[in-house]
Amino acid sequence: MSGILVALLGIVVLSLGYRYYSKFVAEKIFRLDPNYVTPAHRYKDGVDFVPTNKFVLWGHHFTSVAGAAPILGPAIAVYWGWLPAFLWVILGTVFAAGVHDFGTLVLSVRNKGQSVGTLAHRLVGQRAKILFLFIILILVLMVNAVFAWVISNLFISYPASVLPVFIQIPLAIWIGHAVYKRNKKMLVPSLFALAAMYLAAILASKVGFLQIDLVQYMGGEDGSGLFGLGAVSTAFLIWIVILMIYVYIASTLPVWKLLQPRDFINSHQLVVGLGILYLGLLFTNPEMTAPVTNANPDTPWLPLLFITIACGAISGFHGLVSSGTSSKQLDKETDARMVGYLGAVGEGVLALISIIAVATFFANTDEFLATYSSFSAANGAGLGVFVEGAAGLAGGLAIPPDIATTIVSIIVVSFAATTLDTSVRLMRYIIAELGVEYKVPALTKTHVATTVAVVSSAALVLLPEGPKGFGSGGYQLWPLFGTANQLLAGISLMLIAVWLKRLGRNYAVVLIPMIFLMFMTLYAMFQQVLFEWSWFGSNSNTLLFVLGAIIFVFAIWIILTAFSVLSGKQETPLDDDTENYG
């Protein structure tokens, strides 16, 4: 089947979803009010609460939720065949992700810009809040560790990408100053910054000394490196330290100084990157050589497909971004449809091209099956196959292979870095909330909470020996990411359902995807905790078993409490804004 036909079908469905379904949800379910005073105006502080143009905020939100996950998840899930991955991405985006991201944004805006963790207390109860915050804390910690691991390894594998990525930082700071201190427009400077990044990418791809290759600086792959770690491990260690310093600074600066302008640049980068890939698809017209469905998988697709593809279909992390940072920057409540729902659609488009890039990369089905011989093999190959496959699509526009590979790696690194520092900022918020809850005033201080977030993330990723070698400690907990992420999404949908029910609204648009997602996620977690990670399981791992069991029990507890509220057996107070809204 033609890759072009698959892309057209997916884009048409996603476009119709935004045009009609999101409009229905906005007008009939959420009933957005253009005159409502949003938290960005009510609590404006120039640091976190900053009224922001909807296009700029969409850029921040889109790139914060995109990250590397909508690329990596679909690239792995193609193992079961391209059709199951395609259907989950398209239908999941329209009926689950869009409503989830949109809904958590509106719910937070209507409740003083508070996070979904805090809102769990208001809507379900105090106990649910603590349990929910614990799940969120584990999730963002895993995101921090794994994305730092991904970025460091991409810098090592593609040293030409380092210079363009780091050039973006001073350019973003310059743009933020020009926009917020000198009242300049952001569009032209951000396009200039993007052009500078791609010029640096071209130069770095062709000029050897512009490639920052720490492995070579340490004597090559056979070098001893620092402390006898070896050249590769030393390079990895240095990149982790640099990244942790960067995210500390980025997550404590006012959002307008770095986060917003850098994300706006990345939103253009994503549009340009997607344009290159889809135009390349049009000119190359490749066939889908991956099988439609895998007839003999060693791991069944049900329920793991719905866990493997999280970002790109639905992801609980998006609700953290919507309620953690985006809700504090929303200028008008009616902007929420574009920021929330269209942000999810954009991620669906990215996940779609990831599926196509992998499914068309191989010369024939036999080559695909040789590389994707097992689910574990797919996990190891997915990201690399996407980079090479996307570079192949870009080659349809006569872009040289080395430059195309560098540009694709820059896109992946940029989005992963965006998610990383947003995640650290969110972790700081959660630690501060726990500090208030347990009366530990020090944890409510910005720099103390950020230090705890950064140090714990670095400690996790630098655990001495993970399954992938030195510095892959984050991967010891990575199997929990998918289930924790989808549980978070399901619980967030449940909070929106409780809120809508209390307002007398139709909450079926939230309840149906919530039930589906909860069933698949709990089913997957039950299988993994009981039959894989336990002491008598196929892949015994005490750490995963204990943490997985705790999260599973906490999730069941929250669900039972929330259903008690939905059934009317338990009443909880609503925020004044919500009570007076109708």
Side-chain angles (χ1 to χ4, degrees):
M1 187 173 184
S2 168
I4 294 176
L5 184 58
V6 174
L8 284 175
L9 181 60
I11 291 172
V12 167
V13 175
L14 292 173
S15 299
L16 291 175
Y18 178 69
R19 173 65 179 84
Y20 295 104
Y21 192 61
S22 72
K23 183 179 180 182
F24 163 75
V25 173
E27 295 179 355
K28 304 300 182 182
I29 307 299
F30 295 150
R31 302 179 192 175
L32 303 184
D33 181 0
N35 298 316
Y36 180 79
V37 181
T38 63
H41 289 281
R42 187 175 303 181
Y43 309 112
K44 183 177 178 180
D45 61 6
V47 179
D48 294 317
F49 292 87
V50 180
T52 305
N53 177 279
K54 64 181 179 180
F55 296 101
V56 175
L57 182 56
W58 178 83
H60 153 70
H61 180 84
F62 184 16
T63 52
S64 294
V65 300
I71 293 171
L72 183 57
I76 294 171
V78 174
Y79 166 72
W80 290 295
W82 64 261
L83 183 60
F86 171 82
L87 291 175
W88 175 228
V89 163
I90 300 305
L91 298 179
T93 296
V94 171
F95 297 108
V99 175
H100 169 270
D101 297 12
F102 186 11
T104 50
L105 180 57
V106 175
L107 177 62
S108 178
V109 166
R110 279 286 163 178
N111 286 272
K112 302 178 181 178
Q114 294 174 328
S115 71
V116 287
T118 299
L119 294 174
H121 174 204
R122 177 164 289 111
L123 293 169
V124 182
Q126 175 67 11
R127 186 182 295 111
K129 172 187 174 182
I130 301 302
L131 301 179
F132 199 24
L133 285 177
F134 175 82
I135 294 175
I136 294 171
L137 194 63
I138 291 294
L139 176 63
V140 294
L141 181 60
M142 288 187 289
V143 168
N144 296 343
V146 176
F147 276 39
W149 188 92
V150 168
I151 295 169
S152 298
N153 278 282
L154 284 171
F155 279 160
I156 292 171
S157 300
Y158 305 101
S161 67
V162 176
L163 180 63
V165 169
F166 277 89
I167 279 178
Q168 186 187 46
I169 297 173
L171 289 173
I173 294 173
W174 164 67
I175 292 172
H177 184 270
V179 171
Y180 286 95
K181 295 300 183 181
R182 301 174 60 189
N183 296 318
K184 302 291 184 181
K185 298 294 184 181
M186 189 177 288
L187 178 60
V188 173
S190 63
L191 291 175
F192 167 79
L194 182 60
M197 286 180 64
Y198 282 172
L199 177 60
I202 294 171
L203 292 174
S205 298
K206 298 297 184 182
V207 182
F209 70 85
L210 292 179
Q211 299 181 13
I212 304 176
D213 191 343
L214 294 185
V215 174
Q216 294 303 315
Y217 297 160
M218 296 295 163
E221 293 187 4
D222 296 328
S224 60
L226 300 177
F227 314 116
L229 290 174
V232 176
S233 294
T234 299
F236 178 85
L237 175 63
I238 293 172
W239 281 129
I240 290 295
V241 171
I242 292 173
L243 283 172
M244 290 299 121
I245 293 172
Y246 162 74
V247 295
Y248 184 98
I249 297 171
S251 61
T252 53
L253 285 175
V255 290
W256 62 266
K257 280 191 175 181
L258 176 59
L259 189 121
Q260 278 186 0
R262 186 217 50 214
D263 290 354
F264 197 54
I265 296 170
N266 282 341
S267 69
H268 296 314
Q269 183 176 193
L270 182 56
V271 171
V272 171
L274 288 175
I276 290 174
L277 296 181
Y278 278 101
L279 282 174
L281 175 67
L282 185 63
F283 282 99
T284 56
N285 190 22
E287 290 293 312
M288 304 286 281
T289 54
V292 177
T293 58
N294 188 340
N296 298 297
D298 69 335
T299 304
W301 66 272
L302 186 70
L304 289 182
L305 170 68
F306 306 100
I307 308 306
T308 303
I309 301 180
C311 301
I314 181 171
S315 165
F317 183 77
H318 296 192
L320 299 184
V321 176
S322 289
S323 65
T325 60
S326 299
S327 65
K328 298 174 176 63
Q329 302 170 59
L330 198 71
D331 184 33
K332 296 181 180 179
E333 191 175 65
T334 47
D335 294 345
R337 179 188 171 207
M338 175 181 174
V339 174
Y341 198 101
L342 189 60
V345 168
E347 187 163 77
V349 173
L350 177 59
L352 175 61
I353 198 62
S354 177
I355 293 171
I356 295 171
V358 172
T360 60
F361 173 68
F362 298 93
N364 52 59
T365 303
D366 289 339
E367 283 191 12
F368 173 88
L369 293 175
T371 301
Y372 281 69
S373 57
S374 66
F375 184 60
S376 60
N379 274 276
L383 186 58
V385 172
F386 168 78
V387 172
E388 299 299 327
L393 293 179
L397 299 179
I399 299 175
D402 54 345
I403 295 175
T405 301
T406 298
I407 289 176
V408 173
S409 62
I410 290 169
I411 292 173
V412 177
V413 169
S414 296
F415 297 155
T418 297
T419 301
L420 178 62
D421 57 39
T422 299
S423 180
V424 171
R425 185 180 287 261
L426 292 171
M427 192 172 179
R428 184 241 296 176
Y429 293 156
I430 296 164
I431 291 170
E433 286 189 42
L434 290 172
V436 172
E437 187 66 35
Y438 290 104
K439 297 180 174 57
V440 184
L443 291 179
T444 64
K445 306 297 183 182
T446 296
H447 289 285
V448 174
T450 306
T451 299
V452 172
V454 169
V455 170
S456 59
S457 300
L460 179 57
V461 76
L462 291 174
L463 283 176
E465 287 294 336
K468 291 180 178 288
F470 172 80
S472 63
Y475 266 82
Q476 292 190 40
L477 292 180
W478 182 244
L480 270 177
F481 172 79
T483 47
N485 194 25
Q486 300 304 66
L487 277 175
L488 180 58
I491 296 169
S492 297
L493 286 170
M494 183 173 290
L495 295 178
I496 301 169
V498 171
W499 175 63
L500 291 173
K501 182 178 185 296
R502 295 290 299 276
L503 294 174
R505 309 273 177 79
N506 180 357
Y507 56 94
V509 296
V510 176
L511 189 66
I512 293 172
M514 180 207 76
I515 292 174
F516 175 82
L517 190 64
M518 281 295 194
F519 174 77
M520 291 299 175
T521 305
L522 292 175
Y523 180 16
M525 178 165 274
F526 179 76
Q527 280 189 331
Q528 290 175 315
V529 170
L530 189 61
F531 297 111
E532 185 174 354
W533 299 333
S534 63
W535 296 284
F536 54 85
S538 59
N539 187 25
S540 178
N541 187 311
T542 302
L543 179 62
L544 288 177
F545 173 73
V546 172
L547 288 178
I550 291 172
I551 293 175
F552 183 79
V553 171
F554 282 7
I556 295 295
W557 198 341
I558 293 171
I559 290 168
L560 292 176
T561 304
F563 270 114
S564 177
V565 174
L566 280 171
S567 64
K569 296 178 181 179
Q570 177 179 330
E571 290 292 327
T572 54
L574 284 168
D575 185 88
D576 288 342
D577 285 349
T578 308
E579 286 182 335
N580 296 328
Y581 178 45

